[in-house]
């Protein structure tokens, strides 16, 4: 065995750090999916009739739809009747403050590195924590509400702000948008809702942590963020899951909506359990994320650091409807062992003078497959549209794959589109150079990879950039080729 | 400081070093010269620990340690520095960040505390001045888009930062014009002391006008065939390597 293979071998035996579970008593729906399941979930959440109807409509569409086959990922068929669609940690009564949260749960989040109490006191970050299907705690709510900002769990928003939910739910991602979005629309159980009123600049980072805890459970959360005229918010989501031998399904929907002059910056650090070194277990991550730049001069920026999941299928997109609106997509996707990622973005230019920027950095190691899939579409009336895309791939070892599928579709001849792509390998020369300066092989890989991904990591809020750097280093530790 | 005995090494099936003997003491500068393919760069690579080369015979003792048993990073941490002939580019990593990582890993190995930001900056400013390098260069991605001269100057800056005991300059003069050569050589000379030693690997005598060696060794077909003082380099310059080749052939 060559030295490279040995190192790769070491890498593949790297353990997943968040692979613990906690014994939280859970309130679950019966296994399987039919109209009764949908009714069960809706009833559990005391939802209004219109929402139940909305869910049922989605379910009936979903039944007629087929799973997409075009992504460059391979997995055995999913048995949708073998999944539990609703699981909630049992709690005695509704909570008034963080201090009333189940101590086991607090422990859970402390293990995740998010101590809700500490967060509340020390940092300027408001956190909404979603475990399995429901939101368990939201911090900083009072402070935010003084500014008119709504930041709460989705279920709470349905009760407290039904007019807003009714207006915006499904307005960016229609229920029949795709197979997984339809499934989510039928069975989503919770998530986060955020509303920034006109002219308000949200003074702190808003953040949601998602955690799948229960076995055999799917997680289907929904996030909806609305920024009114001139509003600004920076939002971050993080995710982890326990190590389990069976695959678990995660099908989320995120909708962003910006009015005139508004801006939403949405960052993700995704670290779902990727499966073991032989590709057993791990999360199937089928997510629909889309933002609508509805107003003129509005802006939506997606930043993602994807290190987890057995399969990632995800294309955070921007629909640039307002004139002079702007969309951005910054992505680092790391795959290792048998992970498969098919991820990228769509930039749909509808308004005049719209612009978009795509920076995608793929890193493949082990026997993984990493695909960038992107679409840039310039519609007829989108005069003077601009797009710049850069898609880079970094390969580690000789058993992984990197693929790029860019689609460009232009209907207006004033458009200007640039696409750059590179593929490189971490060179032994680079590693040796670092070693000759006293830097260990592992630190050298971390240094080189973080340098490669710098342009994207720089987009993250400071404290998460540090977290993401560590995560990248950890995922690829010892991985040289 | 460094004692090499009967060192033999090969790459693939090709035997390159055929038995090198060399003794280097603190405070000395040794020049290794020789025609292309004589094994100069291989010797530098073997000493710094490049894995492609397999040592088949011999011993190398560095300050009482068996150098050949140490990993490349541990050799560096023990005080060996190599100024590369072709320094690599590392996009997105500034020289400053790179040096901070290197210095702190070396310090950890030696049981020292990592330098805080202020001390690191102070050290950096001092060394920048010493080797006449501009901070704007150090803020850029390591060697990315650097000219040949800038790359070599950056190597000497790193050498100044890490304060090695033994520096190996591998063809440092290649690709340098005369001004760049002078600046690089000045930097190296300022770093010379009674406590460190330098090996200058070079094809041409030119560099030795600026970095004056105590000893000159001529390498040919993987062996040191002639040793002398700096005059030997001048003689080589005048007569060419054929002189050595013929002499070896005559033996």
């Amino acid at each position: 065995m060559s030295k490279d293979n040995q190192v790769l071998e070491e890498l593949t035996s790297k353990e997943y750090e968040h692979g613990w579970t906690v014994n939280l008593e859970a309130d679950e729906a019966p296994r399987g999916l039919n109209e009764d399941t949908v009714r069960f979930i809706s009833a559990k959440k005391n939802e209004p009739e219109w929402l139940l109807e909305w869910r049922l409509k989605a379910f009936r569409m979903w039944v007629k739809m087929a799973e997409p086959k075009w992504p460059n990922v391979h997995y055995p068929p999913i048995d949708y009747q073998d999944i539990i669609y609703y699981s909630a940690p049992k709690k005695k009564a509704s909570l008034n403050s963080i201090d009333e949260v189940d101590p086991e749960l607090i422990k859970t989040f402390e293990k995740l590195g998010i101590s809700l109490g500490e967060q509340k006191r020390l940092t300027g970050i408001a956190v909404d924590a979603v475990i399995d299907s429901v939101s368990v705690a939201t911090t900083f709510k009072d402070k935010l509400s003084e500014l008119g900002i709504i930041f709460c769990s989705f279920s709470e928003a349905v009760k407290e702000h039904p007019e807003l939910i009714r207006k915006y739910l499904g307005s960016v991602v229609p229920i029949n948008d795709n197979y997984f979005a339809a499934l989510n629309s039928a069975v989503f159980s919770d998530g986060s809702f955020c509303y920034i009123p006109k002219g308000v600049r949200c003074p702190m980072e808003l953040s949601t942590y998602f955690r799948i805890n229960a076995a055999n459970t799917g997680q289907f959360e929904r996030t909806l963020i609305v920024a009114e005229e001139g509003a600004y918010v920076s939002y971050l989501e993080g995710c982890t899951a326990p190590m389990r031998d069976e695959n678990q399904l995660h099908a989320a929907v995120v909708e962003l909506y910006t009015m005139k002059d508004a801006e939403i910056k949405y960052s993700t650090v995704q670290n779902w359990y990727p499966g073991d070194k032989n590709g057993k277990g791990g999360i199937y991550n089928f997510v629909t994320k889309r933002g609508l730049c509805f107003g003129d001069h509005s802006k939506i920026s997606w930043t993602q650091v994807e290190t987890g999941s057995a399969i990632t299928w995800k294309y955070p997109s921007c629909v640039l409807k307002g004139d002079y609106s702007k969309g951005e997509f910054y992505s680092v996707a790391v795959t290792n062992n048998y992970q498969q990622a098919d991820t990228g973005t769509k930039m749909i230019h509808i308004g005049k003078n719209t612009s978009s920027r795509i920076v995608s950095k793929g890193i493949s190691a082990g026997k993984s497959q990493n695909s960038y899939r992107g679409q840039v579409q310039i519609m007829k009336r989108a005069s003077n549209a601009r797009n710049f895309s850069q898609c880079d791939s970094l390969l580690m070892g000789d058993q992984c794959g990197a693929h790029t599928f860019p689609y460009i579709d232009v209907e207006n001849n004033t458009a200007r589109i640039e696409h750059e792509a590179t593929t490189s390998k971490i060179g032994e020369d680079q590693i040796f150079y670092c070693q000759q300066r006293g830097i260990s092989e592992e630190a050298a890989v971390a240094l080189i990879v973080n340098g490669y991904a710098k342009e994207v990591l720089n987009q993250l809020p400071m404290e998460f950039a540090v977290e993401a750097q560590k995560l990248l280093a950890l995922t690829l530790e010892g991985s040289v080729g | 400081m460094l004692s090499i005995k009967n060192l033999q090494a090969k790459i693939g099936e090709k035997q390159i070093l055929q038995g090198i003997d060399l003794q280097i003491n603190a405070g000395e500068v040794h020049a290794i010269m020789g025609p292309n393919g004589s094994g100069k760069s291989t010797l530098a690579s073997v000493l710094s620990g490049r894995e492609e080369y397999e040592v088949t015979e011999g011993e190398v003792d560095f300050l009482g340690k068996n150098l050949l048993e140490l990993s490349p990073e541990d050799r560096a941490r023990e005080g060996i520095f190599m100024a590369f002939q072709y320094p690599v580019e590392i996009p997105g990593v500034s020289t400053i960040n790179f040096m901070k990582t290197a210095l702190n890993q070396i310090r950890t190995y030696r049981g020292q505390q990592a330098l805080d930001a202020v001390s690191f900056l102070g050290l950096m400013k001092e060394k920048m001045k010493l080797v006449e390098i501009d901070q704007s260069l150090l803020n850029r991605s390591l060697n990315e888009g650097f000219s040949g001269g800038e790359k070599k100057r950056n190597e000497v800056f790193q050498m100044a930062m890490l304060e090695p005991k033994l520096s190996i300059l591998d063809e440092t003069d290649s690709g340098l014009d005369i001004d760049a050569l002078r600046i690089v050589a000045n930097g190296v000379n300022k770093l010379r002391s009674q406590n460190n030693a330098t090996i200058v690997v070079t094809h041409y005598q030119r560099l030795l006008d600026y970095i004056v060696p105590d000893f000159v060794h001529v390498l040919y077909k993987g062996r040191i065939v002639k040793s002398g003082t700096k005059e030997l380099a001048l003689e080589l310059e005048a007569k060419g390597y054929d002189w050595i080749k013929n002499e070896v052939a005559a033996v």
Side-chain angles (χ1 to χ4, degrees):
Chain A
M1 200 191 287
S2 79
K3 164 97 182 128
D4 292 354
N5 286 337
Q6 269 176 26
V7 175
L8 280 171
E9 192 63 33
E10 279 166 33
L11 150 81
T12 48
S13 54
K14 196 77 206 159
E15 300 268 326
Y16 180 71
E17 218 199 359
H18 294 285
W20 38 269
T21 57
V22 281
N23 294 319
L24 294 169
E25 260 192 285
D27 191 3
E28 289 182 346
R31 196 178 287 256
L33 180 56
N34 52 42
E35 287 202 7
D36 288 340
T37 322
V38 177
R39 286 177 205 281
F40 174 91
I41 293 168
S42 189
K44 270 280 169 201
K45 309 195 81 61
N46 299 314
E47 281 175 354
E49 188 61 26
W50 68 264
L51 189 50
L52 173 62
E53 285 309 318
W54 193 83
R55 285 174 180 279
L56 288 171
K57 196 171 146 197
F59 175 75
R60 287 164 197 153
M61 285 176 159
W62 177 74
V63 172
K64 294 190 195 116
M65 294 168 90
E67 238 174 273
K69 291 289 172 234
W70 47 263
N72 187 28
V73 295
H74 305 277
Y75 54 92
I78 298 171
D79 183 355
Y80 290 91
Q81 298 307 331
D82 194 37
I83 294 172
I84 296 168
Y85 285 84
Y86 180 84
S87 168
K90 262 188 191 154
K91 51 184 178 183
K92 301 198 168 63
S94 67
L95 305 169
N96 292 319
S97 84
I98 202 116
D99 307 323
E100 294 173 31
V101 173
D102 185 344
E104 275 291 307
L105 261 183
I106 299 276
K107 264 189 234 158
T108 306
F109 283 98
E110 270 161 10
K111 275 191 202 164
L112 285 171
I114 343 157
S115 146
L116 295 175
E118 285 296 298
Q119 288 272 3
K120 194 179 164 187
R121 276 191 297 275
L122 300 175
T123 69
I125 301 161
V127 181
D128 183 30
V130 176
I131 196 153
D132 290 342
S133 306
V134 298
S135 170
V136 291
T138 306
T139 59
F140 273 118
K141 212 188 253 170
D142 298 344
K143 203 174 164 194
L144 291 168
S145 70
E146 283 168 22
L147 294 165
I149 296 171
I150 302 167
F151 179 43
C152 64
S153 72
F154 209 91
S155 329
E156 203 176 328
V158 170
K159 288 194 187 75
E160 307 288 326
H161 311 282
E163 69 300 337
L164 287 175
I165 298 295
R166 203 164 179 176
K167 183 171 172 192
Y168 291 108
L169 180 66
S171 65
V172 184
V173 179
I175 48 178
N176 61 344
D177 185 80
N178 67 67
Y179 186 80
F180 298 108
L183 176 64
N184 173 289
S185 300
V187 302
F188 77 88
S189 36
D190 215 331
S192 296
F193 174 66
C194 176
Y195 176 85
I196 317 289
K198 190 172 166 179
V200 172
R201 210 183 147 83
C202 185
M204 59 182 83
E205 308 282 344
L206 299 185
S207 164
T208 302
Y209 267 85
F210 294 106
R211 169 102 187 146
I212 297 177
N213 193 54
N216 305 313
T217 320
Q219 180 149 322
F220 307 92
E221 83 275 357
R222 242 185 133 95
T223 304
L224 172 59
I225 303 175
V226 180
E228 290 283 8
E229 193 178 321
Y232 168 84
V233 64
S234 168
Y235 194 92
L236 184 123
E237 61 164 26
C239 352
T240 60
M243 285 159 69
R244 294 191 190 285
D245 286 347
E246 76 275 16
N247 296 104
Q248 282 181 287
L249 181 61
H250 173 251
V253 172
V254 176
E255 297 178 280
L256 311 183
Y257 207 110
T258 51
M259 303 301 177
K260 188 166 174 284
D261 297 322
E263 179 178 350
I264 298 175
K265 190 173 157 59
Y266 194 102
S267 315
T268 304
V269 176
Q270 186 262 109
N271 186 25
W272 295 119
Y273 178 51
D276 70 10
K277 60 177 177 174
N278 300 315
K280 194 168 167 57
I283 303 290
Y284 289 168
N285 194 32
F286 299 113
V287 172
T288 307
K289 291 183 166 178
R290 192 173 305 153
L292 173 60
C293 284
F294 184 78
D296 295 350
H297 296 279
S298 60
K299 180 177 172 187
I300 287 175
S301 177
W302 298 100
T303 303
Q304 59 174 22
V305 176
E306 304 278 314
T307 61
S309 299
I311 293 173
T312 300
W313 179 95
K314 180 181 170 187
Y315 316 91
S317 308
C318 298
V319 179
L320 305 170
K321 185 159 182 291
D323 292 346
Y324 294 94
S325 62
K326 233 181 196 165
E328 292 177 339
F329 174 75
Y330 295 95
S331 168
V332 177
V334 188
T335 51
N336 195 356
N337 298 327
Y338 285 88
Q339 278 178 280
Q340 305 173 65
D342 192 303
T343 185
T345 185
K346 280 192 279 187
M347 293 290 174
I348 315 291
H349 293 251
I350 300 171
K352 296 184 175 63
N353 300 299
T354 46
S355 62
S356 60
R357 181 178 175 84
I358 298 170
V359 178
S360 164
K361 303 270 183 178
I363 302 169
S364 338
K367 295 188 167 67
S368 68
Q369 296 295 326
N370 201 327
S371 304
Y372 167 81
R373 188 182 301 275
Q375 183 180 12
V376 175
Q377 192 174 4
I378 313 287
M379 308 289 247
K380 232 178 206 135
R381 65 168 284 265
S383 44
N384 299 312
R386 298 277 177 271
N387 164 266
F388 172 77
S389 304
Q390 184 178 340
C391 306
D392 297 333
S393 309
L394 187 69
L395 297 165
M396 303 173 83
D398 51 10
Q399 298 181 70
C400 54
H403 316 267
T404 305
F405 305 95
Y407 304 89
I408 297 170
D409 183 2
V410 179
E411 290 175 45
N412 184 308
N413 61 14
T414 61
R416 200 165 75 202
I417 291 179
E418 293 171 69
H419 183 98
E420 290 178 10
T422 67
T423 303
S424 52
K425 267 187 94 164
I426 285 200
E428 276 170 25
D429 284 353
Q430 285 175 317
I431 306 266
F432 182 73
Y433 189 85
C434 295
Q435 285 178 299
Q436 210 302 304
R437 298 300 185 250
I439 299 169
S440 70
E441 190 164 306
E442 290 189 351
V445 172
L447 198 71
I448 294 164
V449 165
N450 279 313
Y452 166 78
K454 192 175 168 195
E455 196 180 345
V456 175
L457 298 177
N458 279 351
Q459 298 295 323
L460 290 172
M462 186 59 181
E463 51 278 59
F464 298 115
V466 174
E467 187 180 326
Q469 274 190 10
K470 284 187 194 149
L471 194 58
L472 283 187
L474 199 76
T475 313
L476 292 167
E477 211 160 73
S479 160
V480 192
Chain B
M1 179 180 282
L2 183 78
S3 165
I4 303 174
K5 280 185 196 137
N6 188 29
L7 183 63
Q8 301 184 23
K10 63 176 187 181
I11 184 162
E13 287 310 305
K14 195 168 178 222
Q15 192 73 32
I16 298 182
L17 300 184
Q18 310 273 8
I20 303 266
D21 291 283
L22 187 61
Q23 182 72 36
I24 294 177
N25 301 311
E28 296 175 349
V29 174
H30 290 244
I32 310 269
M33 301 185 71
N36 290 329
S38 59
K40 302 188 300 284
S41 282
T42 299
L43 178 62
S45 296
V46 168
L47 292 177
S48 57
R50 269 210 108 103
E51 276 170 14
E52 301 93 291
Y53 297 91
E54 191 190 332
V55 173
T56 50
E57 254 329 309
E59 288 167 27
V60 180
D61 178 281
F62 178 63
L63 296 167
K65 290 208 161 101
N66 179 355
L67 191 72
L68 301 177
E69 273 183 355
L70 298 177
S71 66
E73 57 266 38
D74 282 351
R75 296 180 194 201
R77 293 160 180 174
E78 289 289 342
I80 287 187
F81 181 92
M82 167 128 125
F84 287 81
Q85 183 176 7
Y86 304 109
V88 300
E89 300 180 359
I90 305 186
V93 179
S94 68
T95 303
I96 295 179
N97 186 10
F98 181 65
M99 273 295 99
K100 202 187 253 167
T101 308
L103 196 64
N104 285 334
Q105 290 229 336
I106 291 172
R107 291 180 68 91
T108 306
Y109 176 83
R110 296 177 183 167
Q112 296 165 316
Q113 291 255 309
L115 277 189
D116 60 73
V118 177
S119 317
F120 178 80
L121 214 68
L123 182 70
M124 207 181 79
K125 295 254 184 245
E126 181 198 322
K127 304 298 185 185
M128 270 165 47
K129 222 166 133 188
L130 191 74
V131 302
E132 299 173 60
I133 198 165
D134 200 68
Q135 182 158 358
S136 63
L137 202 63
L138 305 180
N139 287 331
R140 283 167 50 187
S141 288
L142 187 65
N143 293 322
E144 198 180 34
F146 284 24
S147 71
E150 286 169 333
K151 282 184 185 170
K152 296 298 166 73
R153 216 183 299 177
N154 189 282
E155 292 291 289
V156 177
F157 167 73
Q158 295 181 36
M159 182 172 142
M161 286 296 287
L162 301 180
E163 299 175 345
K165 297 191 182 91
L166 176 68
S167 302
I168 304 164
L169 312 182
D170 187 14
E171 307 271 5
T172 291
D173 50 335
S174 69
L176 291 192
D177 62 36
I178 203 75
D179 294 323
L181 185 68
R182 192 176 294 133
I183 293 172
V184 166
N186 272 342
V188 173
N189 286 332
K190 285 182 196 163
L191 297 172
R192 281 172 76 164
S193 82
Q194 281 313 302
N195 303 316
N196 61 29
T198 310
I199 297 176
V200 183
V201 174
T202 182
H203 184 81
Y204 299 106
Q205 196 272 333
R206 190 177 71 153
L207 179 64
L208 305 180
D209 285 341
Y210 299 97
I211 303 172
V212 181
D214 300 301
F215 301 96
V216 175
H217 311 277
V218 182
L219 203 60
Y220 180 58
K221 289 189 174 168
R223 278 194 185 89
I224 290 178
V225 293
K226 208 170 181 66
S227 291
T229 54
K230 65 180 187 223
E231 281 71 28
L232 176 59
L234 293 168
E235 206 176 347
L236 269 177
E237 180 80 352
K239 296 185 181 169
Y241 284 112
D242 283 344
W243 162 57
I244 296 286
K245 291 179 191 172
N246 293 337
E247 216 172 70
V248 171
V251 174

